[in-house]
Amino acid sequence: MKEMTENTGKPTNYYVPEQSNLPIIGSVGLFILVLGAGNFIQSSTDKVKAEEGSLQAFMGSMGPYILTLGLLIIFYLMYKWWSTAARESMANMNSAQLDRSYRQGMLWFITSEVMFFAAFFGALWYARTLIVPWLGGEGNNAMTHALLWPDFNAIWPVTTTPGGTTTQAMGPWGLPAINTAILLTSSWTLTIAHHALIDRNRSTLILFTWLTALLGVIFLGLQAYEYYHAYTDLGLTLGSGIYGNTFFMLTGFHGLHVTIGTIFLIVLSIRCSKGHFTPENHFAYEAGAWYWHFVDVVWLFLFVFVYAF
Amino acid sequence: MAHDHHPTGIKRWLFTTNHKDIGSMYLWFSFIMFLIGGAMALGIRTELFQPGLQFFDPNTFNSLTTLHGLIMVFGAVMPAFVGLANWLIPMQIGAPDMALPRMNNFSFWILPFAFTLLLLSLVPQLFPDGAPNFGWTFYAPLSTKYGPASTDFFIFGVHLMGISSIMGAINVIVTVFNMRAPGMTLMKMPMFVWTWVITAFLLIMVMPVLAGAVTMMLTDRHFGTSFFDAAGGGDPVMFQHIFWFFGHPEVYIMILPAFGIASHIIPTFSRKPLFGYASMVYATASIAFLSFLVWAHHMFTVGMPVAGELYFMIATMIIAVPTGVKIFNWVATMWKGSITFETPMLFALAFVILFTLGGVSGVMLAMTPVDKQYHDTYFVVAHFHYVLFPGAIFGTIAAVYYWLPKWTGNMFNETLSKIHFWLSIISVNITFFPMHFSGLAGMQRRVPDYNMMFEGFNQLSSIGAFMLGFSQLLFMYIVINCIRGGQGKATDNVWDGAEGLEFTHLPSPAPYHSFEKAPEVK
């Protein structure tokens, strides 16, 4: 094999792990999580009316507890799985080849995340370029407009929906612009930290990784404030028609990913302080960095297509 | 790292990190789902034996068609291919196992839970308004505004299946790109590996889009969004666009690995190398690429602009070119070969012929003006059952017969397997061929009642369906019998002149860990 010729002190055999109970814990956890989520959502919104005293109503009332149990199992699993992987990595069980497997796996995972966002961006573009003009009577839809929605004004952002819900649009040049600057800066601080890792400059590494995580927290704080502003001052909610739908779904899923990325960075900061990473062996750090840059790039698309234009 | 002990009992299966164990679990899971989905199909065929309502009320009938489709697509065909990938890819590329073994097990074990969630919708105490009833394509607003309560659990079930598929696909791609034996260059890879790695690309690209679609359904149902509601500035047709952006690559996900299987079996039993290997690879890649550009041919009747209809019609027909390349290559492989007709070859031949039939009816459906007549009729049902049953499922059965001796070390009962073949091929045509006629004459799909004039065709279909369904129990018997010893030991090469590392470098049965040391590939 190729890596037999490399003398890095790394094992040459591919590490096929022993039996593991992690996957089955994860599967049970996911099942309980979504079972709870489904029942919780149904019992707390008005779409589904369960008959009182029925099994369906009972499951609905148990929803929050089942959901919490599922979340606890999944959090436990994530802690357990990644600490196992970190231990294996530090015990030098990972050959160069396995390291490549992890890297490639992470890249393809991020690719799948890109496609998840693509679905919502696709909805945004489809709505802006086709649905709204059609509802306004373009193409062969003159009668749709005249008969169904005669009062609808086909502009983007849709501040008045065909059904009559009104809202105000969110401008780009306040908090969103500041948040753009914050995320761009965070990519820069993270790159400094990464270079420091490779140069064995530990104090810079630790400082700048923490700094990046801190910028993530600030971003999330500002985003939360922006949501508050949208709901209270602008009347812009998740339910304010297609503009509010795409606005909150895109920024919301992005915010969720920033949250995950920030937790990732905090864990990496702690692991940096413990001296877990070496210039040769720091897959987890790179994975976190890639993830963070991905979140950053998604934000740039958001800024351009959701806020600016 | 070498560990020869075999874990036993339930723990072996729950905690395993072995690609062969995981492959077996996938295959058995798939077969169980095949039987459940098949039982639902027989329910449908029972109701349709005569016009009028006999056994099921229309809502239950709709639930049967919905669950039959979902279970067959996500529970039977896809897991069967992942099972084959697990068994075969490490052996065919000379790897010790899949690249990410723990994640491999996670991919599998999510599935039984996902389908439990889906099947819970059949429990009336939990869901008094019934199981999902909007067809396997779950178009809005049937699934959003009018969907029963069980729809939410279906949505989460789809999320889980998506997670499972994405992890499985990542594993395949990483295994293929990082675990090949020295000398196994990309253009020396067996066709099954090639078709699967391309399938895995498709999965990674489209399963997240499906997750996005069902997420929008969930928020439309419960959180006040109106992605698929014109009153809020959305559009129900947008659901169809998003769904088919997933759905069209999905139908190639369900056939490409079968292409790979045929490309192994036909050369072996023709005793000739595969004709046009490189063109097979490029054709597969072209089909996959084009699959992203043709989705709206499923939606010709929604009122698209004419330019859109023209584009999607022409783009769809272009797919017939690389597909034709593959079919001609298989035929050319057989040309002047010393062909013998062992069971895997019989199924592979049936695959080539009947898949082509389904492909040709697909080209008919691609023509926009014609499709406006055929849309949502039994002609469409005939078309996609021809590419799925004699296509994907015969492909899987052929693979099982071809590699079963390698997996178990035993030969299966040749006579019984040939009976299984003849029963299957006759009954599959009795079942699905008449649907072309009833569809062309105007019979609508997904309706429990029909005009008297379609009775003859429907009775034929129903009789064929029962034959076809029960014939598969014979298949199960043959497989179990083979695992328990079958007709004696298989040789290491199994078939006269079978190519590939699994036949040339490994004993039968293949050892628990395939290649602890990578073989040298010349």
Side-chain angles (χ1 to χ4, degrees):
Chain A
M1 271 194 250
K2 184 168 158 279
E3 49 286 348
M4 280 179 164
T5 57
E6 295 167 4
N7 191 10
T8 54
K10 287 191 171 188
T12 53
N13 269 346
Y14 199 83
Y15 170 57
V16 177
E18 295 285 342
Q19 290 221 315
S20 166
N21 59 10
L22 295 169
I24 191 75
I25 294 175
S27 306
V28 173
L30 278 176
F31 177 72
I32 294 175
L33 176 74
V34 294
L35 190 70
N39 282 300
F40 181 39
I41 289 171
Q42 291 195 341
S43 61
S44 54
T45 58
D46 52 9
K47 171 98 185 161
V48 175
K49 300 259 186 294
E51 206 178 312
E52 222 165 303
S54 67
L55 183 58
Q56 191 183 20
F58 172 73
M59 287 300 285
S61 66
M62 294 305 287
Y65 308 107
I66 305 174
L67 175 63
T68 312
L69 176 66
L71 282 172
L72 288 175
I73 296 176
I74 290 299
F75 288 142
Y76 167 77
L77 171 86
M78 291 197 280
Y79 173 76
K80 191 88 177 146
W81 194 311
W82 283 317
S83 58
T84 307
R87 254 199 316 282
E88 286 169 358
S89 168
M90 287 184 297
N92 213 17
M93 285 152 96
N94 300 356
S95 62
Q97 194 185 15
L98 181 63
D99 204 53
R100 277 200 301 279
S101 288
Y102 281 151
R103 277 158 210 274
Q104 292 181 6
M106 188 68 195
L107 280 179
W108 290 112
F109 167 66
I110 290 175
T111 309
S112 76
E113 290 269 59
V114 168
M115 290 310 292
F116 182 74
F117 277 98
F120 291 94
F121 274 109
L124 172 68
W125 291 328
Y126 187 86
R128 287 180 61 158
T129 52
L130 296 173
I131 301 176
V132 171
W134 285 348
L135 287 172
E138 256 188 42
N140 58 358
N141 300 282
M143 296 316 282
T144 306
H145 180 67
L147 294 178
L148 292 177
W149 321 108
D151 300 328
F152 177 62
N153 189 12
I155 48 158
W156 188 270
V158 178
T159 44
T160 305
T161 64
T165 312
T166 57
T167 178
Q168 280 176 275
M170 179 71 72
W173 302 118
L175 282 181
I178 297 172
N179 262 346
T180 308
I182 288 173
L183 275 193
L184 287 176
T185 313
S186 74
S187 265
W188 177 64
T189 53
L190 185 60
T191 305
I192 292 180
H194 196 176
H195 280 283
L197 198 169
I198 291 163
D199 298 339
R200 293 183 193 277
N201 187 345
R202 275 201 58 196
S203 54
T204 312
L205 166 67
I206 294 166
L207 176 68
F208 275 81
T209 311
W210 274 115
L211 205 58
T212 314
L214 181 68
L215 287 169
V217 172
I218 295 172
F219 174 92
L220 287 170
L222 291 178
Q223 196 71 0
Y225 177 74
E226 184 190 78
Y227 277 16
Y228 173 75
H229 169 65
Y231 266 79
T232 52
D233 301 334
L234 302 181
L236 175 60
T237 68
L238 181 61
S240 348
I242 193 71
Y243 173 67
N245 304 160
T246 49
F247 177 87
F248 281 104
M249 291 297 267
L250 277 162
T251 57
F253 272 116
H254 177 263
L256 177 69
H257 283 75
V258 176
T259 311
I260 295 166
T262 305
I263 296 170
F264 204 155
L265 285 169
I266 292 171
V267 172
L268 289 178
S269 305
I270 296 168
R271 290 191 62 194
C272 287
S273 305
K274 290 185 171 178
H276 281 193
F277 300 119
T278 63
E280 297 79 33
N281 190 7
H282 58 273
F283 158 71
Y285 197 92
E286 259 181 43
W290 290 343
Y291 194 80
W292 194 253
H293 292 312
F294 150 70
V295 167
D296 198 4
V297 171
V298 171
W299 175 261
L300 292 180
F301 274 86
L302 283 178
F303 185 68
V304 172
F305 293 106
V306 176
Y307 291 98
F309 293 102
Chain B
M1 281 339 117
H3 38 92
D4 283 344
H5 68 277
H6 289 226
T8 49
I10 185 78
K11 282 185 174 176
R12 167 178 173 189
W13 303 102
L14 286 179
F15 301 156
T16 184
T17 49
N18 180 280
H19 72 102
K20 297 191 177 76
D21 285 352
I22 295 169
S24 301
M25 290 197 293
Y26 263 113
L27 288 169
W28 278 112
F29 174 78
S30 153
F31 193 75
I32 292 164
M33 286 294 130
F34 181 62
L35 294 183
I36 295 175
M40 290 172 174
L42 294 186
I44 295 167
R45 285 317 321 170
T46 309
E47 175 60 48
L48 292 177
F49 190 75
Q50 283 185 319
L53 298 179
Q54 280 79 233
F55 299 97
F56 301 110
D57 65 275
N59 195 46
T60 311
F61 184 86
N62 287 343
S63 296
L64 283 178
T65 58
T66 304
L67 291 174
H68 163 72
L70 290 168
I71 287 172
M72 287 304 197
V73 168
F74 293 103
V77 174
M78 290 169 71
F81 283 154
V82 185
L84 292 172
N86 260 293
W87 259 102
L88 295 173
I89 290 176
M91 295 203 284
Q92 291 188 329
I93 63 171
D97 204 294
M98 295 293 277
L100 303 160
R102 276 184 296 234
M103 194 172 84
N104 197 11
N105 193 28
F106 199 11
S107 309
F108 170 75
W109 274 108
I110 288 175
L111 281 182
F113 291 102
F115 281 88
T116 305
L117 208 59
L118 186 63
L119 290 172
L120 275 182
S121 62
L122 291 170
V123 180
Q125 286 78 15
L126 281 172
F127 300 106
D129 53 351
N133 54 3
F134 27 69
W136 86 275
T137 50
F138 46 100
Y139 280 2
L142 294 176
S143 57
T144 50
K145 197 167 188 179
Y146 305 107
S150 53
T151 308
D152 299 312
F153 294 84
F154 151 80
I155 288 172
F156 285 119
V158 170
H159 276 129
L160 294 192
M161 292 165 208
I163 294 171
S164 159
S165 292
I166 291 168
M167 291 198 297
I170 290 175
N171 222 334
V172 167
I173 295 190
V174 174
T175 306
V176 171
F177 283 133
N178 195 32
M179 304 288 284
R180 298 192 312 279
M184 174 71 79
T185 57
L186 286 177
M187 289 310 278
K188 279 186 193 164
M189 284 199 311
M191 271 317 292
F192 180 75
V193 179
W194 256 118
T195 52
W196 233 111
V197 79
I198 290 168
T199 303
F201 277 119
L202 294 180
L203 281 168
I204 287 179
M205 298 301 279
V206 301
M207 291 311 284
V209 176
L210 178 67
V214 293
T215 306
M216 288 182 229
M217 265 171 63
L218 186 73
T219 58
D220 266 20
R221 284 170 59 81
H222 290 291
F223 301 111
T225 64
S226 37
F227 285 104
F228 310 130
D229 179 2
D235 187 350
V237 174
M238 182 167 77
F239 175 84
Q240 300 184 24
H241 280 291
I242 300 174
F243 177 82
W244 286 113
F245 182 83
F246 147 80
H248 200 77
E250 167 70 17
V251 304
Y252 293 130
I253 288 165
M254 293 191 286
I255 198 65
L256 294 184
F259 286 172
I261 291 160
S263 307
H264 282 258
I265 294 174
I266 291 172
T268 297
F269 297 103
S270 306
R271 288 159 186 84
K272 277 178 65 193
L274 182 67
F275 184 90
Y277 168 85
S279 68
M280 284 300 220
V281 173
Y282 296 133
T284 311
S286 317
I287 292 171
F289 173 74
L290 289 170
S291 74
F292 289 108
L293 307 175
V294 298
W295 72 89
H297 65 214
H298 297 269
M299 314 161 42
F300 282 144
T301 57
V302 299
M304 269 188 292
V306 174
E309 292 182 345
L310 262 175
Y311 161 74
F312 282 108
M313 171 170 81
I314 293 164
T316 303
M317 289 183 171
I318 290 173
I319 295 187
V321 177
T323 313
V325 167
K326 297 191 78 84
I327 288 161
F328 283 116
N329 278 345
W330 289 320
V331 174
T333 305
M334 287 184 273
W335 181 256
K336 293 192 174 173
S338 320
I339 304 179
T340 49
F341 296 95
E342 283 87 344
T343 314
M345 182 64 166
L346 289 173
F347 274 101
L349 287 173
F351 164 82
V352 173
I353 295 164
L354 296 182
F355 174 79
T356 306
L357 193 72
V360 169
S361 60
V363 177
M364 293 171 73
L365 287 164
M367 293 184 275
T368 311
V370 178
D371 179 75
K372 287 185 178 176
Q373 294 295 313
Y374 299 166
H375 189 89
D376 254 350
T377 66
Y378 264 78
F379 189 80
V380 178
V381 178
H383 157 68
F384 68 71
H385 279 93
Y386 261 91
V387 290
L388 281 171
F389 207 117
I393 292 175
F394 274 18
T396 306
I397 293 173
V400 169
Y401 279 131
Y402 185 61
W403 279 288
L404 196 59
K406 175 53 67 180
W407 299 340
T408 62
N410 306 318
M411 287 309 286
F412 54 83
N413 187 322
E414 182 84 20
T415 316
L416 280 181
S417 68
K418 283 191 168 153
I419 294 172
H420 171 226
F421 169 76
W422 287 110
L423 283 172
S424 297
I425 185 127
I426 292 168
S427 54
V428 85
N429 285 298
I430 297 178
T431 310
F432 298 117
F433 207 81
M435 291 182 185
H436 290 112
F437 303 123
S438 51
L440 286 178
M443 182 169 158
Q444 290 287 299
R445 67 191 280 212
R446 293 170 173 158
V447 181
D449 192 5
Y450 55 83
N451 192 302
M452 283 294 288
M453 65 187 268
F454 304 126
E455 192 178 25
F457 289 135
N458 274 284
Q459 292 189 338
L460 266 179
S461 285
S462 292
I463 292 166
F466 275 87
M467 275 175 68
L468 183 58
F470 285 97
S471 307
Q472 305 318 311
L473 296 177
L474 180 60
F475 177 53
M476 182 171 75
Y477 170 78
I478 295 166
V479 171
I480 292 174
N481 178 262
C482 178
I483 293 169
R484 294 192 167 168
Q487 304 292 93
K489 293 287 164 214
T491 61
D492 287 353
N493 193 238
V494 184
W495 310 104
D496 175 31
E499 293 290 333
L501 293 179
E502 75 274 31
F503 290 116
T504 54
H505 282 60
L506 288 175
S508 301
Y512 196 59
H513 296 281
S514 300
F515 289 100
E516 300 231 356
K517 256 206 159 341
E520 197 71 44
V521 179
K522 299 281 185 308

